mmCIF file with all atom_site columns, all heavy atoms in Angstrom:
data_model
loop_
_atom_site.group_PDB
_atom_site.id
_atom_site.type_symbol
_atom_site.label_atom_id
_atom_site.label_alt_id
_atom_site.label_comp_id
_atom_site.label_asym_id
_atom_site.label_entity_id
_atom_site.label_seq_id
_atom_site.pdbx_PDB_ins_code
_atom_site.Cartn_x
_atom_site.Cartn_y
_atom_site.Cartn_z
_atom_site.occupancy
_atom_site.B_iso_or_equiv
_atom_site.pdbx_formal_charge
_atom_site.auth_seq_id
_atom_site.auth_comp_id
_atom_site.auth_asym_id
_atom_site.auth_atom_id
_atom_site.pdbx_PDB_model_num
ATOM 1   N N   . LYS A 1 1  ? -78.947  0.446  62.462 1.00 79.00 ? 865 LYS A N   1
ATOM 2   C CA  . LYS A 1 1  ? -79.606  -0.732 61.859 1.00 79.00 ? 865 LYS A CA  1
ATOM 3   C C   . LYS A 1 1  ? -80.658  -0.166 60.891 1.00 79.00 ? 865 LYS A C   1
ATOM 4   O O   . LYS A 1 1  ? -81.330  0.773  61.152 1.00 79.00 ? 865 LYS A O   1
ATOM 5   C CB  . LYS A 1 1  ? -80.373  -1.547 62.906 1.00 79.00 ? 865 LYS A CB  1
ATOM 6   C CG  . LYS A 1 1  ? -79.537  -2.415 63.776 1.00 79.00 ? 865 LYS A CG  1
ATOM 7   C CD  . LYS A 1 1  ? -80.276  -3.437 64.615 1.00 79.00 ? 865 LYS A CD  1
ATOM 8   C CE  . LYS A 1 1  ? -81.594  -2.975 65.091 1.00 79.00 ? 865 LYS A CE  1
ATOM 9   N NZ  . LYS A 1 1  ? -82.223  -3.918 66.085 1.00 79.00 ? 865 LYS A NZ  1
ATOM 10  N N   . TRP A 1 2  ? -80.648  -0.783 59.702 1.00 78.00 ? 866 TRP A N   1
ATOM 11  C CA  . TRP A 1 2  ? -81.665  -0.422 58.717 1.00 78.00 ? 866 TRP A CA  1
ATOM 12  C C   . TRP A 1 2  ? -82.473  -1.667 58.459 1.00 78.00 ? 866 TRP A C   1
ATOM 13  O O   . TRP A 1 2  ? -82.046  -2.561 57.789 1.00 78.00 ? 866 TRP A O   1
ATOM 14  C CB  . TRP A 1 2  ? -80.983  0.092  57.429 1.00 78.00 ? 866 TRP A CB  1
ATOM 15  C CG  . TRP A 1 2  ? -82.006  0.381  56.356 1.00 78.00 ? 866 TRP A CG  1
ATOM 16  C CD1 . TRP A 1 2  ? -82.184  -0.334 55.212 1.00 78.00 ? 866 TRP A CD1 1
ATOM 17  C CD2 . TRP A 1 2  ? -82.903  1.480  56.335 1.00 78.00 ? 866 TRP A CD2 1
ATOM 18  N NE1 . TRP A 1 2  ? -83.195  0.221  54.488 1.00 78.00 ? 866 TRP A NE1 1
ATOM 19  C CE2 . TRP A 1 2  ? -83.625  1.340  55.152 1.00 78.00 ? 866 TRP A CE2 1
ATOM 20  C CE3 . TRP A 1 2  ? -83.191  2.548  57.148 1.00 78.00 ? 866 TRP A CE3 1
ATOM 21  C CZ2 . TRP A 1 2  ? -84.651  2.265  54.769 1.00 78.00 ? 866 TRP A CZ2 1
ATOM 22  C CZ3 . TRP A 1 2  ? -84.202  3.458  56.815 1.00 78.00 ? 866 TRP A CZ3 1
ATOM 23  C CH2 . TRP A 1 2  ? -84.913  3.272  55.579 1.00 78.00 ? 866 TRP A CH2 1
ATOM 24  N N   . GLU A 1 3  ? -83.670  -1.699 59.024 1.00 79.00 ? 867 GLU A N   1
ATOM 25  C CA  . GLU A 1 3  ? -84.554  -2.871 58.818 1.00 79.00 ? 867 GLU A CA  1
ATOM 26  C C   . GLU A 1 3  ? -85.435  -2.564 57.657 1.00 79.00 ? 867 GLU A C   1
ATOM 27  O O   . GLU A 1 3  ? -86.617  -2.236 57.785 1.00 79.00 ? 867 GLU A O   1
ATOM 28  C CB  . GLU A 1 3  ? -85.356  -3.062 60.139 1.00 79.00 ? 867 GLU A CB  1
ATOM 29  C CG  . GLU A 1 3  ? -84.489  -3.389 61.334 1.00 79.00 ? 867 GLU A CG  1
ATOM 30  C CD  . GLU A 1 3  ? -85.301  -3.535 62.564 1.00 79.00 ? 867 GLU A CD  1
ATOM 31  O OE1 . GLU A 1 3  ? -86.486  -3.971 62.515 1.00 79.00 ? 867 GLU A OE1 1
ATOM 32  O OE2 . GLU A 1 3  ? -84.741  -3.224 63.660 1.00 79.00 ? 867 GLU A OE2 1
ATOM 33  N N   . LYS A 1 4  ? -84.884  -2.812 56.498 1.00 75.00 ? 868 LYS A N   1
ATOM 34  C CA  . LYS A 1 4  ? -85.551  -2.514 55.247 1.00 75.00 ? 868 LYS A CA  1
ATOM 35  C C   . LYS A 1 4  ? -86.897  -3.182 55.101 1.00 75.00 ? 868 LYS A C   1
ATOM 36  O O   . LYS A 1 4  ? -87.815  -2.645 54.555 1.00 75.00 ? 868 LYS A O   1
ATOM 37  C CB  . LYS A 1 4  ? -84.632  -2.820 54.069 1.00 75.00 ? 868 LYS A CB  1
ATOM 38  C CG  . LYS A 1 4  ? -85.138  -2.445 52.703 1.00 75.00 ? 868 LYS A CG  1
ATOM 39  C CD  . LYS A 1 4  ? -84.121  -2.766 51.628 1.00 75.00 ? 868 LYS A CD  1
ATOM 40  C CE  . LYS A 1 4  ? -84.672  -2.450 50.317 1.00 75.00 ? 868 LYS A CE  1
ATOM 41  N NZ  . LYS A 1 4  ? -83.767  -2.782 49.264 1.00 75.00 ? 868 LYS A NZ  1
ATOM 42  N N   . ASN A 1 5  ? -86.991  -4.412 55.548 1.00 79.00 ? 869 ASN A N   1
ATOM 43  C CA  . ASN A 1 5  ? -88.211  -5.173 55.445 1.00 79.00 ? 869 ASN A CA  1
ATOM 44  C C   . ASN A 1 5  ? -89.405  -4.605 56.200 1.00 79.00 ? 869 ASN A C   1
ATOM 45  O O   . ASN A 1 5  ? -90.525  -4.902 55.951 1.00 79.00 ? 869 ASN A O   1
ATOM 46  C CB  . ASN A 1 5  ? -87.992  -6.607 55.816 1.00 79.00 ? 869 ASN A CB  1
ATOM 47  C CG  . ASN A 1 5  ? -87.548  -6.816 57.194 1.00 79.00 ? 869 ASN A CG  1
ATOM 48  O OD1 . ASN A 1 5  ? -87.196  -5.858 57.900 1.00 79.00 ? 869 ASN A OD1 1
ATOM 49  N ND2 . ASN A 1 5  ? -87.567  -8.062 57.644 1.00 79.00 ? 869 ASN A ND2 1
ATOM 50  N N   . ARG A 1 6  ? -89.117  -3.658 57.156 1.00 78.00 ? 870 ARG A N   1
ATOM 51  C CA  . ARG A 1 6  ? -90.231  -3.098 57.874 1.00 78.00 ? 870 ARG A CA  1
ATOM 52  C C   . ARG A 1 6  ? -90.893  -1.920 57.111 1.00 78.00 ? 870 ARG A C   1
ATOM 53  O O   . ARG A 1 6  ? -91.984  -1.473 57.494 1.00 78.00 ? 870 ARG A O   1
ATOM 54  C CB  . ARG A 1 6  ? -89.646  -2.475 59.241 1.00 78.00 ? 870 ARG A CB  1
ATOM 55  C CG  . ARG A 1 6  ? -89.333  -3.554 60.200 1.00 78.00 ? 870 ARG A CG  1
ATOM 56  C CD  . ARG A 1 6  ? -88.845  -2.942 61.568 1.00 78.00 ? 870 ARG A CD  1
ATOM 57  N NE  . ARG A 1 6  ? -89.932  -2.083 62.026 1.00 78.00 ? 870 ARG A NE  1
ATOM 58  C CZ  . ARG A 1 6  ? -89.695  -1.054 62.810 1.00 78.00 ? 870 ARG A CZ  1
ATOM 59  N NH1 . ARG A 1 6  ? -88.445  -0.735 63.164 1.00 78.00 ? 870 ARG A NH1 1
ATOM 60  N NH2 . ARG A 1 6  ? -90.678  -0.332 63.316 1.00 78.00 ? 870 ARG A NH2 1
ATOM 61  N N   . PHE A 1 7  ? -90.208  -1.448 56.075 1.00 78.00 ? 871 PHE A N   1
ATOM 62  C CA  . PHE A 1 7  ? -90.710  -0.344 55.301 1.00 78.00 ? 871 PHE A CA  1
ATOM 63  C C   . PHE A 1 7  ? -91.037  -0.773 53.918 1.00 78.00 ? 871 PHE A C   1
ATOM 64  O O   . PHE A 1 7  ? -90.142  -0.920 53.075 1.00 78.00 ? 871 PHE A O   1
ATOM 65  C CB  . PHE A 1 7  ? -89.668  0.792  55.271 1.00 78.00 ? 871 PHE A CB  1
ATOM 66  C CG  . PHE A 1 7  ? -89.220  1.221  56.622 1.00 78.00 ? 871 PHE A CG  1
ATOM 67  C CD1 . PHE A 1 7  ? -88.097  0.780  57.178 1.00 78.00 ? 871 PHE A CD1 1
ATOM 68  C CD2 . PHE A 1 7  ? -90.067  2.118  57.334 1.00 78.00 ? 871 PHE A CD2 1
ATOM 69  C CE1 . PHE A 1 7  ? -87.754  1.202  58.449 1.00 78.00 ? 871 PHE A CE1 1
ATOM 70  C CE2 . PHE A 1 7  ? -89.716  2.545  58.618 1.00 78.00 ? 871 PHE A CE2 1
ATOM 71  C CZ  . PHE A 1 7  ? -88.515  2.093  59.158 1.00 78.00 ? 871 PHE A CZ  1
ATOM 72  N N   . THR A 1 8  ? -92.310  -1.078 53.637 1.00 81.00 ? 872 THR A N   1
ATOM 73  C CA  . THR A 1 8  ? -92.709  -1.567 52.337 1.00 81.00 ? 872 THR A CA  1
ATOM 74  C C   . THR A 1 8  ? -93.545  -0.442 51.710 1.00 81.00 ? 872 THR A C   1
ATOM 75  O O   . THR A 1 8  ? -94.289  0.301  52.346 1.00 81.00 ? 872 THR A O   1
ATOM 76  C CB  . THR A 1 8  ? -93.519  -2.844 52.403 1.00 81.00 ? 872 THR A CB  1
ATOM 77  O OG1 . THR A 1 8  ? -94.634  -2.613 53.227 1.00 81.00 ? 872 THR A OG1 1
ATOM 78  C CG2 . THR A 1 8  ? -92.692  -3.970 52.997 1.00 81.00 ? 872 THR A CG2 1
ATOM 79  N N   . GLY A 1 9  ? -93.452  -0.385 50.414 1.00 85.00 ? 873 GLY A N   1
ATOM 80  C CA  . GLY A 1 9  ? -94.228  0.653  49.646 1.00 85.00 ? 873 GLY A CA  1
ATOM 81  C C   . GLY A 1 9  ? -95.405  -0.007 48.939 1.00 85.00 ? 873 GLY A C   1
ATOM 82  O O   . GLY A 1 9  ? -95.697  -1.175 49.202 1.00 85.00 ? 873 GLY A O   1
ATOM 83  N N   . ARG A 1 10 ? -96.057  0.758  48.152 1.00 88.00 ? 874 ARG A N   1
ATOM 84  C CA  . ARG A 1 10 ? -97.184  0.300  47.421 1.00 88.00 ? 874 ARG A CA  1
ATOM 85  C C   . ARG A 1 10 ? -97.051  0.749  45.982 1.00 88.00 ? 874 ARG A C   1
ATOM 86  O O   . ARG A 1 10 ? -96.699  1.948  45.721 1.00 88.00 ? 874 ARG A O   1
ATOM 87  C CB  . ARG A 1 10 ? -98.463  0.873  48.027 1.00 88.00 ? 874 ARG A CB  1
ATOM 88  C CG  . ARG A 1 10 ? -99.701  0.473  47.274 1.00 88.00 ? 874 ARG A CG  1
ATOM 89  C CD  . ARG A 1 10 ? -100.960 0.811  48.048 1.00 88.00 ? 874 ARG A CD  1
ATOM 90  N NE  . ARG A 1 10 ? -101.058 -0.201 49.067 1.00 88.00 ? 874 ARG A NE  1
ATOM 91  C CZ  . ARG A 1 10 ? -101.795 -0.018 50.197 1.00 88.00 ? 874 ARG A CZ  1
ATOM 92  N NH1 . ARG A 1 10 ? -102.484 1.071  50.307 1.00 88.00 ? 874 ARG A NH1 1
ATOM 93  N NH2 . ARG A 1 10 ? -101.859 -0.967 51.081 1.00 88.00 ? 874 ARG A NH2 1
ATOM 94  N N   . GLU A 1 11 ? -97.252  -0.129 45.060 1.00 93.00 ? 875 GLU A N   1
ATOM 95  C CA  . GLU A 1 11 ? -97.171  0.256  43.606 1.00 93.00 ? 875 GLU A CA  1
ATOM 96  C C   . GLU A 1 11 ? -98.321  1.141  43.256 1.00 93.00 ? 875 GLU A C   1
ATOM 97  O O   . GLU A 1 11 ? -99.471  0.827  43.495 1.00 93.00 ? 875 GLU A O   1
ATOM 98  C CB  . GLU A 1 11 ? -97.163  -1.028 42.778 1.00 93.00 ? 875 GLU A CB  1
ATOM 99  C CG  . GLU A 1 11 ? -97.064  -0.791 41.293 1.00 93.00 ? 875 GLU A CG  1
ATOM 100 C CD  . GLU A 1 11 ? -95.716  -0.233 40.833 1.00 93.00 ? 875 GLU A CD  1
ATOM 101 O OE1 . GLU A 1 11 ? -94.719  -0.614 41.415 1.00 93.00 ? 875 GLU A OE1 1
ATOM 102 O OE2 . GLU A 1 11 ? -95.752  0.597  39.929 1.00 93.00 ? 875 GLU A OE2 1
ATOM 103 N N   . LEU A 1 12 ? -98.048  2.305  42.669 1.00 95.00 ? 876 LEU A N   1
ATOM 104 C CA  . LEU A 1 12 ? -99.076  3.238  42.261 1.00 95.00 ? 876 LEU A CA  1
ATOM 105 C C   . LEU A 1 12 ? -99.540  3.037  40.803 1.00 95.00 ? 876 LEU A C   1
ATOM 106 O O   . LEU A 1 12 ? -100.692 3.364  40.465 1.00 95.00 ? 876 LEU A O   1
ATOM 107 C CB  . LEU A 1 12 ? -98.600  4.679  42.482 1.00 95.00 ? 876 LEU A CB  1
ATOM 108 C CG  . LEU A 1 12 ? -98.309  5.067  43.908 1.00 95.00 ? 876 LEU A CG  1
ATOM 109 C CD1 . LEU A 1 12 ? -97.767  6.502  43.986 1.00 95.00 ? 876 LEU A CD1 1
ATOM 110 C CD2 . LEU A 1 12 ? -99.493  4.896  44.785 1.00 95.00 ? 876 LEU A CD2 1
ATOM 111 N N   . ARG A 1 13 ? -98.628  2.549  39.976 1.00 97.00 ? 877 ARG A N   1
ATOM 112 C CA  . ARG A 1 13 ? -98.977  2.323  38.561 1.00 97.00 ? 877 ARG A CA  1
ATOM 113 C C   . ARG A 1 13 ? -100.202 1.513  38.451 1.00 97.00 ? 877 ARG A C   1
ATOM 114 O O   . ARG A 1 13 ? -100.310 0.448  39.057 1.00 97.00 ? 877 ARG A O   1
ATOM 115 C CB  . ARG A 1 13 ? -97.809  1.666  37.831 1.00 97.00 ? 877 ARG A CB  1
ATOM 116 C CG  . ARG A 1 13 ? -98.110  1.390  36.371 1.00 97.00 ? 877 ARG A CG  1
ATOM 117 C CD  . ARG A 1 13 ? -96.958  0.580  35.762 1.00 97.00 ? 877 ARG A CD  1
ATOM 118 N NE  . ARG A 1 13 ? -95.735  1.255  35.807 1.00 97.00 ? 877 ARG A NE  1
ATOM 119 C CZ  . ARG A 1 13 ? -95.224  1.961  34.764 1.00 97.00 ? 877 ARG A CZ  1
ATOM 120 N NH1 . ARG A 1 13 ? -95.915  2.100  33.673 1.00 97.00 ? 877 ARG A NH1 1
ATOM 121 N NH2 . ARG A 1 13 ? -94.034  2.509  34.879 1.00 97.00 ? 877 ARG A NH2 1
ATOM 122 N N   . GLY A 1 14 ? -101.173 1.921  37.632 1.00 97.00 ? 878 GLY A N   1
ATOM 123 C CA  . GLY A 1 14 ? -102.409 1.184  37.396 1.00 97.00 ? 878 GLY A CA  1
ATOM 124 C C   . GLY A 1 14 ? -103.474 1.350  38.462 1.00 97.00 ? 878 GLY A C   1
ATOM 125 O O   . GLY A 1 14 ? -104.591 0.894  38.265 1.00 97.00 ? 878 GLY A O   1
ATOM 126 N N   . LYS A 1 15 ? -103.169 2.081  39.570 1.00 98.00 ? 879 LYS A N   1
ATOM 127 C CA  . LYS A 1 15 ? -104.143 2.280  40.597 1.00 98.00 ? 879 LYS A CA  1
ATOM 128 C C   . LYS A 1 15 ? -104.985 3.557  40.194 1.00 98.00 ? 879 LYS A C   1
ATOM 129 O O   . LYS A 1 15 ? -104.637 4.316  39.346 1.00 98.00 ? 879 LYS A O   1
ATOM 130 C CB  . LYS A 1 15 ? -103.497 2.598  41.929 1.00 98.00 ? 879 LYS A CB  1
ATOM 131 C CG  . LYS A 1 15 ? -102.690 1.431  42.482 1.00 98.00 ? 879 LYS A CG  1
ATOM 132 C CD  . LYS A 1 15 ? -103.587 0.296  42.920 1.00 98.00 ? 879 LYS A CD  1
ATOM 133 C CE  . LYS A 1 15 ? -102.893 -0.740 43.736 1.00 98.00 ? 879 LYS A CE  1
ATOM 134 N NZ  . LYS A 1 15 ? -101.824 -1.444 43.198 1.00 98.00 ? 879 LYS A NZ  1
ATOM 135 N N   . THR A 1 16 ? -106.153 3.699  40.846 1.00 98.00 ? 880 THR A N   1
ATOM 136 C CA  . THR A 1 16 ? -107.012 4.826  40.581 1.00 98.00 ? 880 THR A CA  1
ATOM 137 C C   . THR A 1 16 ? -106.930 5.785  41.728 1.00 98.00 ? 880 THR A C   1
ATOM 138 O O   . THR A 1 16 ? -107.164 5.454  42.846 1.00 98.00 ? 880 THR A O   1
ATOM 139 C CB  . THR A 1 16 ? -108.482 4.339  40.383 1.00 98.00 ? 880 THR A CB  1
ATOM 140 O OG1 . THR A 1 16 ? -108.464 3.425  39.289 1.00 98.00 ? 880 THR A OG1 1
ATOM 141 C CG2 . THR A 1 16 ? -109.446 5.461  40.132 1.00 98.00 ? 880 THR A CG2 1
ATOM 142 N N   . VAL A 1 17 ? -106.746 7.059  41.358 1.00 98.00 ? 881 VAL A N   1
ATOM 143 C CA  . VAL A 1 17 ? -106.809 8.156  42.356 1.00 98.00 ? 881 VAL A CA  1
ATOM 144 C C   . VAL A 1 17 ? -108.002 8.979  42.070 1.00 98.00 ? 881 VAL A C   1
ATOM 145 O O   . VAL A 1 17 ? -108.305 9.327  40.915 1.00 98.00 ? 881 VAL A O   1
ATOM 146 C CB  . VAL A 1 17 ? -105.491 9.020  42.399 1.00 98.00 ? 881 VAL A CB  1
ATOM 147 C CG1 . VAL A 1 17 ? -105.286 9.695  41.067 1.00 98.00 ? 881 VAL A CG1 1
ATOM 148 C CG2 . VAL A 1 17 ? -105.586 9.991  43.529 1.00 98.00 ? 881 VAL A CG2 1
ATOM 149 N N   . GLY A 1 18 ? -108.814 9.204  43.119 1.00 98.00 ? 882 GLY A N   1
ATOM 150 C CA  . GLY A 1 18 ? -109.928 10.102 42.993 1.00 98.00 ? 882 GLY A CA  1
ATOM 151 C C   . GLY A 1 18 ? -109.621 11.473 43.587 1.00 98.00 ? 882 GLY A C   1
ATOM 152 O O   . GLY A 1 18 ? -109.161 11.567 44.706 1.00 98.00 ? 882 GLY A O   1
ATOM 153 N N   . ILE A 1 19 ? -109.843 12.501 42.799 1.00 98.00 ? 883 ILE A N   1
ATOM 154 C CA  . ILE A 1 19 ? -109.543 13.837 43.300 1.00 98.00 ? 883 ILE A CA  1
ATOM 155 C C   . ILE A 1 19 ? -110.846 14.639 43.462 1.00 98.00 ? 883 ILE A C   1
ATOM 156 O O   . ILE A 1 19 ? -111.607 14.731 42.503 1.00 98.00 ? 883 ILE A O   1
ATOM 157 C CB  . ILE A 1 19 ? -108.632 14.557 42.260 1.00 98.00 ? 883 ILE A CB  1
ATOM 158 C CG1 . ILE A 1 19 ? -107.323 13.781 42.070 1.00 98.00 ? 883 ILE A CG1 1
ATOM 159 C CG2 . ILE A 1 19 ? -108.346 15.947 42.778 1.00 98.00 ? 883 ILE A CG2 1
ATOM 160 C CD1 . ILE A 1 19 ? -106.418 14.376 40.980 1.00 98.00 ? 883 ILE A CD1 1
ATOM 161 N N   . VAL A 1 20 ? -111.089 15.092 44.640 1.00 98.00 ? 884 VAL A N   1
ATOM 162 C CA  . VAL A 1 20 ? -112.234 15.925 44.946 1.00 98.00 ? 884 VAL A CA  1
ATOM 163 C C   . VAL A 1 20 ? -111.736 17.365 44.954 1.00 98.00 ? 884 VAL A C   1
ATOM 164 O O   . VAL A 1 20 ? -110.919 17.761 45.775 1.00 98.00 ? 884 VAL A O   1
ATOM 165 C CB  . VAL A 1 20 ? -112.901 15.559 46.275 1.00 98.00 ? 884 VAL A CB  1
ATOM 166 C CG1 . VAL A 1 20 ? -114.024 16.492 46.604 1.00 98.00 ? 884 VAL A CG1 1
ATOM 167 C CG2 . VAL A 1 20 ? -113.305 14.099 46.319 1.00 98.00 ? 884 VAL A CG2 1
ATOM 168 N N   . GLY A 1 21 ? -112.194 18.172 43.972 1.00 98.00 ? 885 GLY A N   1
ATOM 169 C CA  . GLY A 1 21 ? -111.771 19.549 43.833 1.00 98.00 ? 885 GLY A CA  1
ATOM 170 C C   . GLY A 1 21 ? -110.649 19.624 42.757 1.00 98.00 ? 885 GLY A C   1
ATOM 171 O O   . GLY A 1 21 ? -109.523 19.264 43.028 1.00 98.00 ? 885 GLY A O   1
ATOM 172 N N   . MET A 1 22 ? -111.009 20.139 41.603 1.00 97.00 ? 886 MET A N   1
ATOM 173 C CA  . MET A 1 22 ? -110.052 20.166 40.500 1.00 97.00 ? 886 MET A CA  1
ATOM 174 C C   . MET A 1 22 ? -109.637 21.614 40.161 1.00 97.00 ? 886 MET A C   1
ATOM 175 O O   . MET A 1 22 ? -109.548 21.974 39.050 1.00 97.00 ? 886 MET A O   1
ATOM 176 C CB  . MET A 1 22 ? -110.650 19.487 39.279 1.00 97.00 ? 886 MET A CB  1
ATOM 177 C CG  . MET A 1 22 ? -110.682 18.044 39.294 1.00 97.00 ? 886 MET A CG  1
ATOM 178 S SD  . MET A 1 22 ? -109.064 17.318 39.449 1.00 97.00 ? 886 MET A SD  1
ATOM 179 C CE  . MET A 1 22 ? -108.334 17.745 37.944 1.00 97.00 ? 886 MET A CE  1
ATOM 180 N N   . GLY A 1 23 ? -109.430 22.391 41.209 1.00 96.00 ? 887 GLY A N   1
ATOM 181 C CA  . GLY A 1 23 ? -108.913 23.723 41.054 1.00 96.00 ? 887 GLY A CA  1
ATOM 182 C C   . GLY A 1 23 ? -107.372 23.710 40.747 1.00 96.00 ? 887 GLY A C   1
ATOM 183 O O   . GLY A 1 23 ? -106.895 22.726 40.236 1.00 96.00 ? 887 GLY A O   1
ATOM 184 N N   . ARG A 1 24 ? -106.677 24.668 41.157 1.00 96.00 ? 888 ARG A N   1
ATOM 185 C CA  . ARG A 1 24 ? -105.210 24.786 40.907 1.00 96.00 ? 888 ARG A CA  1
ATOM 186 C C   . ARG A 1 24 ? -104.462 23.603 41.471 1.00 96.00 ? 888 ARG A C   1
ATOM 187 O O   . ARG A 1 24 ? -103.736 22.927 40.783 1.00 96.00 ? 888 ARG A O   1
ATOM 188 C CB  . ARG A 1 24 ? -104.708 26.102 41.438 1.00 96.00 ? 888 ARG A CB  1
ATOM 189 C CG  . ARG A 1 24 ? -103.264 26.424 41.086 1.00 96.00 ? 888 ARG A CG  1
ATOM 190 C CD  . ARG A 1 24 ? -102.844 27.786 41.559 1.00 96.00 ? 888 ARG A CD  1
ATOM 191 N NE  . ARG A 1 24 ? -103.001 27.950 43.009 1.00 96.00 ? 888 ARG A NE  1
ATOM 192 C CZ  . ARG A 1 24 ? -103.731 28.873 43.607 1.00 96.00 ? 888 ARG A CZ  1
ATOM 193 N NH1 . ARG A 1 24 ? -104.405 29.734 42.874 1.00 96.00 ? 888 ARG A NH1 1
ATOM 194 N NH2 . ARG A 1 24 ? -103.841 28.952 44.876 1.00 96.00 ? 888 ARG A NH2 1
ATOM 195 N N   . VAL A 1 25 ? -104.708 23.303 42.757 1.00 97.00 ? 889 VAL A N   1
ATOM 196 C CA  . VAL A 1 25 ? -103.945 22.246 43.425 1.00 97.00 ? 889 VAL A CA  1
ATOM 197 C C   . VAL A 1 25 ? -104.389 20.845 42.866 1.00 97.00 ? 889 VAL A C   1
ATOM 198 O O   . VAL A 1 25 ? -103.587 20.015 42.538 1.00 97.00 ? 889 VAL A O   1
ATOM 199 C CB  . VAL A 1 25 ? -104.096 22.302 44.944 1.00 97.00 ? 889 VAL A CB  1
ATOM 200 C CG1 . VAL A 1 25 ? -103.417 21.101 45.627 1.00 97.00 ? 889 VAL A CG1 1
ATOM 201 C CG2 . VAL A 1 25 ? -103.482 23.597 45.429 1.00 97.00 ? 889 VAL A CG2 1
ATOM 202 N N   . GLY A 1 26 ? -105.666 20.650 42.781 1.00 98.00 ? 890 GLY A N   1
ATOM 203 C CA  . GLY A 1 26 ? -106.212 19.325 42.248 1.00 98.00 ? 890 GLY A CA  1
ATOM 204 C C   . GLY A 1 26 ? -105.664 19.048 40.844 1.00 98.00 ? 890 GLY A C   1
ATOM 205 O O   . GLY A 1 26 ? -105.321 17.923 40.518 1.00 98.00 ? 890 GLY A O   1
ATOM 206 N N   . SER A 1 27 ? -105.611 20.133 39.992 1.00 97.00 ? 891 SER A N   1
ATOM 207 C CA  . SER A 1 27 ? -105.062 19.945 38.621 1.00 97.00 ? 891 SER A CA  1
ATOM 208 C C   . SER A 1 27 ? -103.600 19.502 38.636 1.00 97.00 ? 891 SER A C   1
ATOM 209 O O   . SER A 1 27 ? -103.176 18.634 37.830 1.00 97.00 ? 891 SER A O   1
ATOM 210 C CB  . SER A 1 27 ? -105.170 21.219 37.863 1.00 97.00 ? 891 SER A CB  1
ATOM 211 O OG  . SER A 1 27 ? -106.573 21.554 37.748 1.00 97.00 ? 891 SER A OG  1
ATOM 212 N N   . VAL A 1 28 ? -102.820 20.072 39.535 1.00 98.00 ? 892 VAL A N   1
ATOM 213 C CA  . VAL A 1 28 ? -101.410 19.682 39.647 1.00 98.00 ? 892 VAL A CA  1
ATOM 214 C C   . VAL A 1 28 ? -101.276 18.227 40.150 1.00 98.00 ? 892 VAL A C   1
ATOM 215 O O   . VAL A 1 28 ? -100.436 17.456 39.623 1.00 98.00 ? 892 VAL A O   1
ATOM 216 C CB  . VAL A 1 28 ? -100.612 20.657 40.572 1.00 98.00 ? 892 VAL A CB  1
ATOM 217 C CG1 . VAL A 1 28 ? -99.218  20.169 40.864 1.00 98.00 ? 892 VAL A CG1 1
ATOM 218 C CG2 . VAL A 1 28 ? -100.537 22.014 39.937 1.00 98.00 ? 892 VAL A CG2 1
ATOM 219 N N   . VAL A 1 29 ? -102.103 17.877 41.114 1.00 98.00 ? 893 VAL A N   1
ATOM 220 C CA  . VAL A 1 29 ? -102.099 16.495 41.614 1.00 98.00 ? 893 VAL A CA  1
ATOM 221 C C   . VAL A 1 29 ? -102.465 15.510 40.521 1.00 98.00 ? 893 VAL A C   1
ATOM 222 O O   . VAL A 1 29 ? -101.853 14.481 40.385 1.00 98.00 ? 893 VAL A O   1
ATOM 223 C CB  . VAL A 1 29 ? -103.068 16.332 42.844 1.00 98.00 ? 893 VAL A CB  1
ATOM 224 C CG1 . VAL A 1 29 ? -103.230 14.887 43.214 1.00 98.00 ? 893 VAL A CG1 1
ATOM 225 C CG2 . VAL A 1 29 ? -102.571 17.158 44.037 1.00 98.00 ? 893 VAL A CG2 1
#
């Protein structure tokens, strides 16, 4: 059974991400 309605996502476009630490990994993120 695949209960697709139980798995909902979230739209990321237009959202704000805050990054603490902008070294090598933070820059890639």
Side-chain angles (χ1 to χ4, degrees):
K865 283 192 326 190
W866 176 253
E867 297 177 32
K868 185 177 176 183
N869 59 346
R870 289 185 56 210
F871 303 99
T872 58
R874 177 169 285 162
E875 180 67 36
L876 297 178
R877 178 188 298 265
K879 298 288 193 301
T880 299
V881 61
I883 302 175
V884 178
M886 286 299 297
R888 187 175 57 239
V889 174
S891 298
V892 171
V893 171

